[in-house]
PDB file of all heavy atoms in Angstrom:
ATOM      1  N   SER A  14     108.915 -43.012  88.256  1.00 96.00           N
ATOM      2  CA  SER A  14     109.714 -43.255  87.056  1.00 96.00           C
ATOM      3  C   SER A  14     110.732 -44.364  87.278  1.00 96.00           C
ATOM      4  O   SER A  14     111.426 -44.407  88.297  1.00 96.00           O
ATOM      5  CB  SER A  14     110.437 -41.972  86.652  1.00 96.00           C
ATOM      6  OG  SER A  14     111.269 -42.191  85.533  1.00 96.00           O
ATOM      7  N   GLY A  15     110.818 -45.265  86.306  1.00 95.00           N
ATOM      8  CA  GLY A  15     111.783 -46.350  86.366  1.00 95.00           C
ATOM      9  C   GLY A  15     111.346 -47.547  87.182  1.00 95.00           C
ATOM     10  O   GLY A  15     112.055 -48.563  87.224  1.00 95.00           O
ATOM     11  N   SER A  16     110.195 -47.463  87.822  1.00 97.00           N
ATOM     12  CA  SER A  16     109.733 -48.585  88.646  1.00 97.00           C
ATOM     13  C   SER A  16     108.934 -49.576  87.803  1.00 97.00           C
ATOM     14  O   SER A  16     108.311 -49.215  86.805  1.00 97.00           O
ATOM     15  CB  SER A  16     108.865 -48.086  89.810  1.00 97.00           C
ATOM     16  OG  SER A  16     107.675 -47.493  89.327  1.00 97.00           O
ATOM     17  N   GLN A  17     108.960 -50.824  88.224  1.00 97.00           N
ATOM     18  CA  GLN A  17     108.108 -51.847  87.631  1.00 97.00           C
ATOM     19  C   GLN A  17     106.829 -51.892  88.469  1.00 97.00           C
ATOM     20  O   GLN A  17     106.676 -52.727  89.349  1.00 97.00           O
ATOM     21  CB  GLN A  17     108.800 -53.208  87.651  1.00 97.00           C
ATOM     22  CG  GLN A  17     110.107 -53.274  86.886  1.00 97.00           C
ATOM     23  CD  GLN A  17     110.755 -54.639  87.014  1.00 97.00           C
ATOM     24  OE1 GLN A  17     110.107 -55.673  86.868  1.00 97.00           O
ATOM     25  NE2 GLN A  17     112.045 -54.649  87.305  1.00 97.00           N
ATOM     26  N   LEU A  18     105.914 -50.982  88.170  1.00 98.00           N
ATOM     27  CA  LEU A  18     104.752 -50.795  89.034  1.00 98.00           C
ATOM     28  C   LEU A  18     103.704 -51.878  88.766  1.00 98.00           C
ATOM     29  O   LEU A  18     103.090 -51.917  87.697  1.00 98.00           O
ATOM     30  CB  LEU A  18     104.152 -49.407  88.829  1.00 98.00           C
ATOM     31  CG  LEU A  18     103.237 -48.914  89.940  1.00 98.00           C
ATOM     32  CD1 LEU A  18     104.007 -48.747  91.254  1.00 98.00           C
ATOM     33  CD2 LEU A  18     102.577 -47.589  89.556  1.00 98.00           C
ATOM     34  N   GLU A  19     103.506 -52.722  89.775  1.00 98.00           N
ATOM     35  CA  GLU A  19     102.552 -53.829  89.671  1.00 98.00           C
ATOM     36  C   GLU A  19     101.178 -53.460  90.219  1.00 98.00           C
ATOM     37  O   GLU A  19     100.156 -53.887  89.692  1.00 98.00           O
ATOM     38  CB  GLU A  19     103.079 -55.035  90.450  1.00 98.00           C
ATOM     39  CG  GLU A  19     104.391 -55.591  89.941  1.00 98.00           C
ATOM     40  CD  GLU A  19     104.172 -56.595  88.825  1.00 98.00           C
ATOM     41  OE1 GLU A  19     103.411 -57.550  89.018  1.00 98.00           O
ATOM     42  OE2 GLU A  19     104.761 -56.389  87.747  1.00 98.00           O
ATOM     43  N   TYR A  20     101.168 -52.697  91.310  1.00 98.00           N
ATOM     44  CA  TYR A  20      99.921 -52.407  92.012  1.00 98.00           C
ATOM     45  C   TYR A  20      99.852 -50.951  92.444  1.00 98.00           C
ATOM     46  O   TYR A  20     100.872 -50.317  92.713  1.00 98.00           O
ATOM     47  CB  TYR A  20      99.791 -53.262  93.289  1.00 98.00           C
ATOM     48  CG  TYR A  20      99.771 -54.737  93.072  1.00 98.00           C
ATOM     49  CD1 TYR A  20     100.877 -55.522  93.424  1.00 98.00           C
ATOM     50  CD2 TYR A  20      98.653 -55.380  92.526  1.00 98.00           C
ATOM     51  CE1 TYR A  20     100.861 -56.890  93.242  1.00 98.00           C
ATOM     52  CE2 TYR A  20      98.637 -56.752  92.337  1.00 98.00           C
ATOM     53  CZ  TYR A  20      99.744 -57.494  92.695  1.00 98.00           C
ATOM     54  OH  TYR A  20      99.731 -58.859  92.514  1.00 98.00           O
ATOM     55  N   ILE A  21      98.627 -50.454  92.544  1.00 98.00           N
ATOM     56  CA  ILE A  21      98.313 -49.236  93.290  1.00 98.00           C
ATOM     57  C   ILE A  21      97.462 -49.691  94.462  1.00 98.00           C
ATOM     58  O   ILE A  21      96.311 -50.109  94.283  1.00 98.00           O
ATOM     59  CB  ILE A  21      97.568 -48.205  92.430  1.00 98.00           C
ATOM     60  CG1 ILE A  21      98.374 -47.857  91.187  1.00 98.00           C
ATOM     61  CG2 ILE A  21      97.256 -46.956  93.253  1.00 98.00           C
ATOM     62  CD1 ILE A  21      97.589 -47.042  90.156  1.00 98.00           C
ATOM     63  N   LEU A  22      98.037 -49.666  95.650  1.00 98.00           N
ATOM     64  CA  LEU A  22      97.367 -50.160  96.850  1.00 98.00           C
ATOM     65  C   LEU A  22      96.750 -48.970  97.579  1.00 98.00           C
ATOM     66  O   LEU A  22      97.470 -48.074  98.043  1.00 98.00           O
ATOM     67  CB  LEU A  22      98.372 -50.872  97.765  1.00 98.00           C
ATOM     68  CG  LEU A  22      99.167 -52.016  97.149  1.00 98.00           C
ATOM     69  CD1 LEU A  22     100.156 -52.575  98.179  1.00 98.00           C
ATOM     70  CD2 LEU A  22      98.229 -53.128  96.663  1.00 98.00           C
ATOM     71  N   LEU A  23      95.431 -48.963  97.700  1.00 98.00           N
ATOM     72  CA  LEU A  23      94.730 -47.841  98.301  1.00 98.00           C
ATOM     73  C   LEU A  23      94.324 -48.176  99.723  1.00 98.00           C
ATOM     74  O   LEU A  23      93.719 -49.220  99.988  1.00 98.00           O
ATOM     75  CB  LEU A  23      93.505 -47.476  97.465  1.00 98.00           C
ATOM     76  CG  LEU A  23      93.841 -47.081  96.017  1.00 98.00           C
ATOM     77  CD1 LEU A  23      92.564 -46.877  95.212  1.00 98.00           C
ATOM     78  CD2 LEU A  23      94.705 -45.831  95.974  1.00 98.00           C
ATOM     79  N   THR A  24      94.650 -47.274 100.639  1.00 98.00           N
ATOM     80  CA  THR A  24      94.281 -47.487 102.037  1.00 98.00           C
ATOM     81  C   THR A  24      92.808 -47.185 102.275  1.00 98.00           C
ATOM     82  O   THR A  24      92.197 -47.747 103.189  1.00 98.00           O
ATOM     83  CB  THR A  24      95.133 -46.622 102.979  1.00 98.00           C
ATOM     84  OG1 THR A  24      94.951 -45.229 102.641  1.00 98.00           O
ATOM     85  CG2 THR A  24      96.607 -46.989 102.861  1.00 98.00           C
ATOM     86  N   HIS A  25      92.249 -46.283 101.472  1.00 98.00           N
ATOM     87  CA  HIS A  25      90.815 -45.981 101.508  1.00 98.00           C
ATOM     88  C   HIS A  25      90.490 -45.114 100.306  1.00 98.00           C
ATOM     89  O   HIS A  25      91.372 -44.838  99.485  1.00 98.00           O
ATOM     90  CB  HIS A  25      90.412 -45.301 102.829  1.00 98.00           C
ATOM     91  CG  HIS A  25      91.014 -43.972 103.079  1.00 98.00           C
ATOM     92  ND1 HIS A  25      92.371 -43.798 103.324  1.00 98.00           N
ATOM     93  CD2 HIS A  25      90.484 -42.716 103.113  1.00 98.00           C
ATOM     94  CE1 HIS A  25      92.632 -42.520 103.510  1.00 98.00           C
ATOM     95  NE2 HIS A  25      91.502 -41.837 103.387  1.00 98.00           N
ATOM     96  N   GLY A  26      89.227 -44.699 100.199  1.00 97.00           N
ATOM     97  CA  GLY A  26      88.793 -44.080  98.960  1.00 97.00           C
ATOM     98  C   GLY A  26      88.536 -42.593  98.975  1.00 97.00           C
ATOM     99  O   GLY A  26      87.886 -42.079  98.045  1.00 97.00           O
ATOM    100  N   HIS A  27      89.006 -41.848  99.958  1.00 97.00           N
ATOM    101  CA  HIS A  27      88.821 -40.405  99.937  1.00 97.00           C
ATOM    102  C   HIS A  27      89.622 -39.771  98.798  1.00 97.00           C
ATOM    103  O   HIS A  27      90.691 -40.267  98.428  1.00 97.00           O
ATOM    104  CB  HIS A  27      89.223 -39.788 101.274  1.00 97.00           C
ATOM    105  CG  HIS A  27      88.184 -39.977 102.339  1.00 97.00           C
ATOM    106  ND1 HIS A  27      88.476 -39.961 103.684  1.00 97.00           N
ATOM    107  CD2 HIS A  27      86.835 -40.178 102.253  1.00 97.00           C
ATOM    108  CE1 HIS A  27      87.357 -40.152 104.386  1.00 97.00           C
ATOM    109  NE2 HIS A  27      86.357 -40.285 103.549  1.00 97.00           N
ATOM    110  N   PHE A  28      89.099 -38.660  98.277  1.00 95.00           N
ATOM    111  CA  PHE A  28      89.624 -38.064  97.049  1.00 95.00           C
ATOM    112  C   PHE A  28      91.114 -37.759  97.118  1.00 95.00           C
ATOM    113  O   PHE A  28      91.819 -37.869  96.115  1.00 95.00           O
ATOM    114  CB  PHE A  28      88.851 -36.781  96.714  1.00 95.00           C
ATOM    115  CG  PHE A  28      89.081 -35.639  97.680  1.00 95.00           C
ATOM    116  CD1 PHE A  28      90.114 -34.740  97.482  1.00 95.00           C
ATOM    117  CD2 PHE A  28      88.262 -35.472  98.775  1.00 95.00           C
ATOM    118  CE1 PHE A  28      90.333 -33.693  98.371  1.00 95.00           C
ATOM    119  CE2 PHE A  28      88.471 -34.433  99.677  1.00 95.00           C
ATOM    120  CZ  PHE A  28      89.509 -33.543  99.476  1.00 95.00           C
ATOM    121  N   ASP A  29      91.619 -37.378  98.281  1.00 96.00           N
ATOM    122  CA  ASP A  29      93.025 -36.984  98.367  1.00 96.00           C
ATOM    123  C   ASP A  29      93.970 -38.176  98.335  1.00 96.00           C
ATOM    124  O   ASP A  29      95.192 -38.004  98.285  1.00 96.00           O
ATOM    125  CB  ASP A  29      93.282 -36.137  99.617  1.00 96.00           C
ATOM    126  CG  ASP A  29      92.844 -36.799 100.908  1.00 96.00           C
ATOM    127  OD1 ASP A  29      91.750 -37.404 100.941  1.00 96.00           O
ATOM    128  OD2 ASP A  29      93.585 -36.724 101.912  1.00 96.00           O
ATOM    129  N   HIS A  30      93.423 -39.377  98.322  1.00 97.00           N
ATOM    130  CA  HIS A  30      94.240 -40.594  98.220  1.00 97.00           C
ATOM    131  C   HIS A  30      94.084 -41.286  96.867  1.00 97.00           C
ATOM    132  O   HIS A  30      94.811 -42.239  96.589  1.00 97.00           O
ATOM    133  CB  HIS A  30      93.879 -41.565  99.344  1.00 97.00           C
ATOM    134  CG  HIS A  30      94.239 -41.053 100.701  1.00 97.00           C
ATOM    135  ND1 HIS A  30      95.342 -41.501 101.406  1.00 97.00           N
ATOM    136  CD2 HIS A  30      93.669 -40.102 101.480  1.00 97.00           C
ATOM    137  CE1 HIS A  30      95.409 -40.856 102.561  1.00 97.00           C
ATOM    138  NE2 HIS A  30      94.410 -39.998 102.627  1.00 97.00           N
ATOM    139  N   ILE A  31      93.127 -40.813  96.029  1.00 97.00           N
ATOM    140  CA  ILE A  31      92.817 -41.557  94.800  1.00 97.00           C
ATOM    141  C   ILE A  31      92.812 -40.715  93.533  1.00 97.00           C
ATOM    142  O   ILE A  31      92.635 -41.264  92.440  1.00 97.00           O
ATOM    143  CB  ILE A  31      91.459 -42.274  94.915  1.00 97.00           C
ATOM    144  CG1 ILE A  31      90.309 -41.252  94.965  1.00 97.00           C
ATOM    145  CG2 ILE A  31      91.425 -43.202  96.140  1.00 97.00           C
ATOM    146  CD1 ILE A  31      88.929 -41.868  94.762  1.00 97.00           C
ATOM    147  N   ALA A  32      93.007 -39.402  93.610  1.00 96.00           N
ATOM    148  CA  ALA A  32      92.786 -38.546  92.443  1.00 96.00           C
ATOM    149  C   ALA A  32      93.690 -38.886  91.265  1.00 96.00           C
ATOM    150  O   ALA A  32      93.323 -38.667  90.110  1.00 96.00           O
ATOM    151  CB  ALA A  32      92.942 -37.074  92.822  1.00 96.00           C
ATOM    152  N   GLY A  33      94.862 -39.444  91.529  1.00 97.00           N
ATOM    153  CA  GLY A  33      95.773 -39.766  90.443  1.00 97.00           C
ATOM    154  C   GLY A  33      95.694 -41.196  89.946  1.00 97.00           C
ATOM    155  O   GLY A  33      96.412 -41.579  89.011  1.00 97.00           O
ATOM    156  N   VAL A  34      94.794 -41.981  90.526  1.00 98.00           N
ATOM    157  CA  VAL A  34      94.770 -43.421  90.239  1.00 98.00           C
ATOM    158  C   VAL A  34      94.490 -43.709  88.768  1.00 98.00           C
ATOM    159  O   VAL A  34      95.182 -44.520  88.134  1.00 98.00           O
ATOM    160  CB  VAL A  34      93.748 -44.140  91.133  1.00 98.00           C
ATOM    161  CG1 VAL A  34      93.533 -45.576  90.661  1.00 98.00           C
ATOM    162  CG2 VAL A  34      94.208 -44.132  92.579  1.00 98.00           C
ATOM    163  N   LYS A  35      93.469 -43.074  88.207  1.00 97.00           N
ATOM    164  CA  LYS A  35      93.073 -43.371  86.829  1.00 97.00           C
ATOM    165  C   LYS A  35      94.244 -43.176  85.864  1.00 97.00           C
ATOM    166  O   LYS A  35      94.549 -44.056  85.045  1.00 97.00           O
ATOM    167  CB  LYS A  35      91.899 -42.484  86.413  1.00 97.00           C
ATOM    168  CG  LYS A  35      91.394 -42.735  84.990  1.00 97.00           C
ATOM    169  CD  LYS A  35      90.200 -41.830  84.690  1.00 97.00           C
ATOM    170  CE  LYS A  35      89.564 -42.186  83.351  1.00 97.00           C
ATOM    171  NZ  LYS A  35      90.449 -41.851  82.221  1.00 97.00           N
ATOM    172  N   ALA A  36      94.913 -42.041  85.957  1.00 97.00           N
ATOM    173  CA  ALA A  36      95.993 -41.733  85.017  1.00 97.00           C
ATOM    174  C   ALA A  36      97.216 -42.617  85.244  1.00 97.00           C
ATOM    175  O   ALA A  36      97.847 -43.063  84.279  1.00 97.00           O
ATOM    176  CB  ALA A  36      96.371 -40.263  85.131  1.00 97.00           C
ATOM    177  N   VAL A  37      97.561 -42.887  86.508  1.00 98.00           N
ATOM    178  CA  VAL A  37      98.720 -43.742  86.777  1.00 98.00           C
ATOM    179  C   VAL A  37      98.443 -45.172  86.326  1.00 98.00           C
ATOM    180  O   VAL A  37      99.323 -45.851  85.784  1.00 98.00           O
ATOM    181  CB  VAL A  37      99.108 -43.681  88.269  1.00 98.00           C
ATOM    182  CG1 VAL A  37     100.169 -44.728  88.593  1.00 98.00           C
ATOM    183  CG2 VAL A  37      99.624 -42.295  88.622  1.00 98.00           C
ATOM    184  N   LYS A  38      97.212 -45.620  86.513  1.00 97.00           N
ATOM    185  CA  LYS A  38      96.832 -46.952  86.025  1.00 97.00           C
ATOM    186  C   LYS A  38      96.971 -47.023  84.503  1.00 97.00           C
ATOM    187  O   LYS A  38      97.522 -47.991  83.964  1.00 97.00           O
ATOM    188  CB  LYS A  38      95.401 -47.265  86.441  1.00 97.00           C
ATOM    189  CG  LYS A  38      94.868 -48.588  85.928  1.00 97.00           C
ATOM    190  CD  LYS A  38      93.420 -48.801  86.373  1.00 97.00           C
ATOM    191  CE  LYS A  38      92.883 -50.134  85.846  1.00 97.00           C
ATOM    192  NZ  LYS A  38      91.492 -50.394  86.310  1.00 97.00           N
ATOM    193  N   GLU A  39      96.498 -46.005  83.818  1.00 97.00           N
ATOM    194  CA  GLU A  39      96.583 -45.984  82.353  1.00 97.00           C
ATOM    195  C   GLU A  39      98.030 -45.898  81.878  1.00 97.00           C
ATOM    196  O   GLU A  39      98.405 -46.511  80.876  1.00 97.00           O
ATOM    197  CB  GLU A  39      95.767 -44.826  81.803  1.00 97.00           C
ATOM    198  CG  GLU A  39      94.263 -45.020  81.977  1.00 97.00           C
ATOM    199  CD  GLU A  39      93.456 -43.804  81.550  1.00 97.00           C
ATOM    200  OE1 GLU A  39      94.072 -42.749  81.259  1.00 97.00           O
ATOM    201  OE2 GLU A  39      92.217 -43.906  81.502  1.00 97.00           O
ATOM    202  N   LEU A  40      98.847 -45.155  82.607  1.00 96.00           N
ATOM    203  CA  LEU A  40     100.251 -44.990  82.230  1.00 96.00           C
ATOM    204  C   LEU A  40     101.054 -46.263  82.412  1.00 96.00           C
ATOM    205  O   LEU A  40     101.894 -46.609  81.565  1.00 96.00           O
ATOM    206  CB  LEU A  40     100.870 -43.864  83.069  1.00 96.00           C
ATOM    207  CG  LEU A  40     102.361 -43.603  82.879  1.00 96.00           C
ATOM    208  CD1 LEU A  40     102.620 -42.981  81.506  1.00 96.00           C
ATOM    209  CD2 LEU A  40     102.900 -42.695  83.982  1.00 96.00           C
TER     210      LEU A  40
END
């Protein structure tokens, strides 16, 4: 909250590192 979020930087693609990506990207 309150951040100017430019990127979601993923270290790898296992589910426990990416499950929130879709919604945060859309938000």
